[in-house]
Amino acid sequence: MTAPQPPRVTPEEWPAIAFESLEWSSRHAERLAVDRFTSRPTRYEAAVPPFIAQRMLPLGSQVASLARAAETDLIRFDASLGSELSGFAPLLLRSEAAASSQIEHLTASARAILTAELGDTGKRNAAEIVGNTRAMQSALDLANELTTDSVQAMHRVLLEGTNHTPGQWRGEPVWIGTSARSPAGATFVAPAHERVPGLMEDLMVFARRDDLPVLTQIAVAHAQFETIHPFSDGNGRTGRALVQAMLRGKDLTRAVTVPVSAGLLTDVSGYHEALTSYRRGDLEPIVRQFAEASADAISNSNVLIGELRETAAAWANRAKPRPGSQLERVLSYAARQPVFTAGTLAAALAIAAPNVYPHLRKLAELGILKQKSEHKIGQVWRADDVLQALDRFAERAGRRA
């Protein structure tokens, strides 16, 4: 019997995915005694997504206008930070990684995440979010190389040190459903693993095109990626890292990470429903989700940036550093890296280690910094004003307006 082919489409339509019936074979080959008394189904329906490399994007005028307006807002936000960019960019990158992880139910405080960056991996969620931050940075570094190799590199960074075959296409079925035993009866079963390489090559050709409305292209590329589900784990986080790579590679953002995942986080059920609509052949919900998520992310980021500006001004008023002095540089570092050791501070600012301690003690006396001994990494300094602002950002992102 000939296997179903991905749907062929015309410029006027975007088809629903097709399906093929496959036989389920458990990795646990040995039958158990209980199997003699149960009748578990062995066949399941796996998705067969269309090839989209040369597709145009059918979109109603209202949603198309919404997406164009969101593109304009993203460009303006990126440009608005100006000389402050070096301070805000690392914090926005971490905020995006944390929000993307929270969509997958991985949560941790800003303090825990930044402490894990220093090497304290005792809190698993925080360690995984650090991996996501590195994957996001990898995505930005590879923004000009939208290829299957770059996607695999992002995934490799995300899941480094795990047993989930980092950076390799999956070799088994994956599905969304309540049973971990079998894909039979699952809500959605991703394409057979043999289809993944071809579908991913096709997707990345689509992602590299320069003749499409950009935010719409990014939303559709993301939905197609999540439909393919090319990896055994980490698909959601890798797919949202790809979004950041495309935002940067398509020049919607030139220097800053707009935490779009924080926008998606305000309506996770709507995001998942939009992915389902995409699989049924309706592009508009996922494009609308991305446009609205971009607006929410910009709004939330502006609140965060306003709070950080107020914090920096209050610190300067208390510490009264001379312009260009070491103390001013230490304050600037603490604002963008609010958990650090004396060693990491000295290395980052190229200051001899003994010379940083007078500044740290002064800032502690002023209540700007606090010191604490952390397991595995020793004495750690932290700026609670910044950490609390980051936690408030996360709280706003997870709350429906």
Side-chain angles (χ1 to χ4, degrees):
M1 181 176 177
T2 303
Q5 295 301 305
R8 299 296 177 185
V9 294
T10 69
E12 293 77 27
E13 63 179 11
W14 195 282
I17 57 175
F19 292 92
E20 61 182 334
S21 180
L22 300 175
E23 184 76 19
W24 165 244
S25 176
S26 171
R27 70 177 71 179
H28 307 294
E30 183 179 352
R31 286 177 60 82
L32 302 176
V34 70
D35 291 335
R36 291 181 297 169
F37 304 99
T38 60
S39 179
R40 295 176 183 169
T42 60
R43 297 199 69 80
Y44 63 95
E45 299 294 307
V48 183
F51 290 124
I52 66 171
Q54 305 306 321
R55 296 269 314 127
M56 299 307 292
L57 298 170
L59 210 60
S61 59
Q62 184 180 25
V63 176
S65 296
L66 179 67
R68 284 194 299 270
E71 290 177 10
T72 301
D73 290 340
L74 287 166
I75 292 169
R76 287 176 177 168
F77 175 75
D78 186 81
S80 70
L81 298 181
S83 60
E84 299 174 290
L85 183 63
S86 62
F88 296 141
L91 299 178
L92 290 172
L93 174 66
R94 291 190 185 94
S95 297
E96 166 64 3
S100 179
S101 299
Q102 192 172 344
I103 292 173
E104 308 298 328
H105 308 292
L106 293 170
T107 61
S109 68
R111 177 180 169 183
I113 296 167
L114 283 147
T115 303
E117 282 188 11
L118 293 175
D120 185 351
T121 57
K123 295 183 178 179
R124 180 178 175 182
N125 279 10
E128 290 200 32
I129 294 170
V130 169
N132 200 19
T133 303
R134 291 171 180 156
M136 289 285 179
Q137 185 59 60
S138 172
L140 297 178
D141 294 341
L142 296 167
N144 293 322
E145 303 174 25
L146 295 173
T147 66
T148 55
D149 286 345
S150 66
V151 172
Q152 289 175 307
M154 296 172 208
H155 187 261
R156 189 176 302 114
V157 173
L158 173 68
L159 293 186
E160 183 179 7
T162 72
N163 60 355
H164 286 290
T165 59
Q168 298 179 35
W169 304 139
R170 58 182 167 85
E172 59 189 5
V174 293
W175 61 91
I176 299 170
T178 57
S179 175
R181 292 194 186 101
S182 163
T187 304
F188 173 76
V189 184
H193 67 86
E194 294 88 351
R195 295 184 180 275
V196 168
L199 285 166
M200 284 302 300
E201 287 289 352
D202 175 81
L203 170 58
M204 299 316 293
V205 171
F206 174 84
R208 291 192 297 272
R209 285 172 58 182
D210 57 7
D211 62 332
L212 298 170
V214 176
L215 191 62
T216 299
Q217 179 186 23
I218 292 171
V220 170
H222 175 73
Q224 181 77 351
F225 179 93
E226 298 305 333
T227 298
I228 298 168
H229 241 61
F231 300 110
S232 62
D233 189 50
N235 290 285
R237 286 168 287 168
T238 305
R240 289 182 289 275
L242 176 60
V243 167
Q244 292 298 331
M246 292 184 69
L247 286 169
R248 182 66 57 87
K250 303 289 182 180
D251 290 335
L252 286 188
T253 61
R254 292 179 176 270
V256 72
T257 303
V258 180
V260 175
S261 293
L264 295 172
L265 188 58
T266 64
D267 186 9
V268 174
S269 62
Y271 167 53
H272 290 151
E273 288 166 6
L275 291 173
T276 299
S277 294
Y278 172 81
R279 292 162 188 156
R280 292 171 179 161
D282 186 359
L283 305 184
E284 293 201 353
I286 193 63
V287 176
R288 182 180 292 277
Q289 280 286 318
F290 267 73
E292 293 176 349
S294 298
D296 288 341
I298 291 170
S299 177
N300 196 355
S301 297
N302 279 327
V303 174
L304 172 63
I305 289 168
E307 292 179 350
L308 295 175
R309 284 172 176 154
E310 290 177 2
T311 293
W315 286 0
N317 186 53
R318 273 186 273 171
K320 296 179 171 53
R322 295 190 312 274
S325 66
Q326 285 187 354
L327 180 59
E328 184 181 62
R329 294 172 64 204
V330 171
L331 280 170
S332 176
Y333 180 82
R336 66 180 184 270
Q337 184 69 40
V339 178
F340 58 91
T341 66
T344 58
L345 170 66
L349 301 186
I351 299 174
N355 293 340
V356 303
Y357 285 102
H359 303 308
L360 295 175
R361 285 193 290 268
K362 177 177 180 177
L363 296 178
E365 289 168 2
L366 292 171
I368 292 172
L369 296 180
K370 291 185 179 179
Q371 184 182 20
K372 188 176 186 298
S373 179
E374 296 284 356
H375 181 58
K376 294 185 179 179
I377 52 179
Q379 294 297 316
V380 170
W381 300 82
R382 70 178 195 268
D384 282 351
D385 291 338
V386 176
L387 295 174
Q388 289 163 8
L390 292 172
D391 285 338
R392 286 192 294 271
F393 174 94
E395 289 170 6
R396 289 190 300 271
R399 185 172 61 233
R400 289 294 299 269

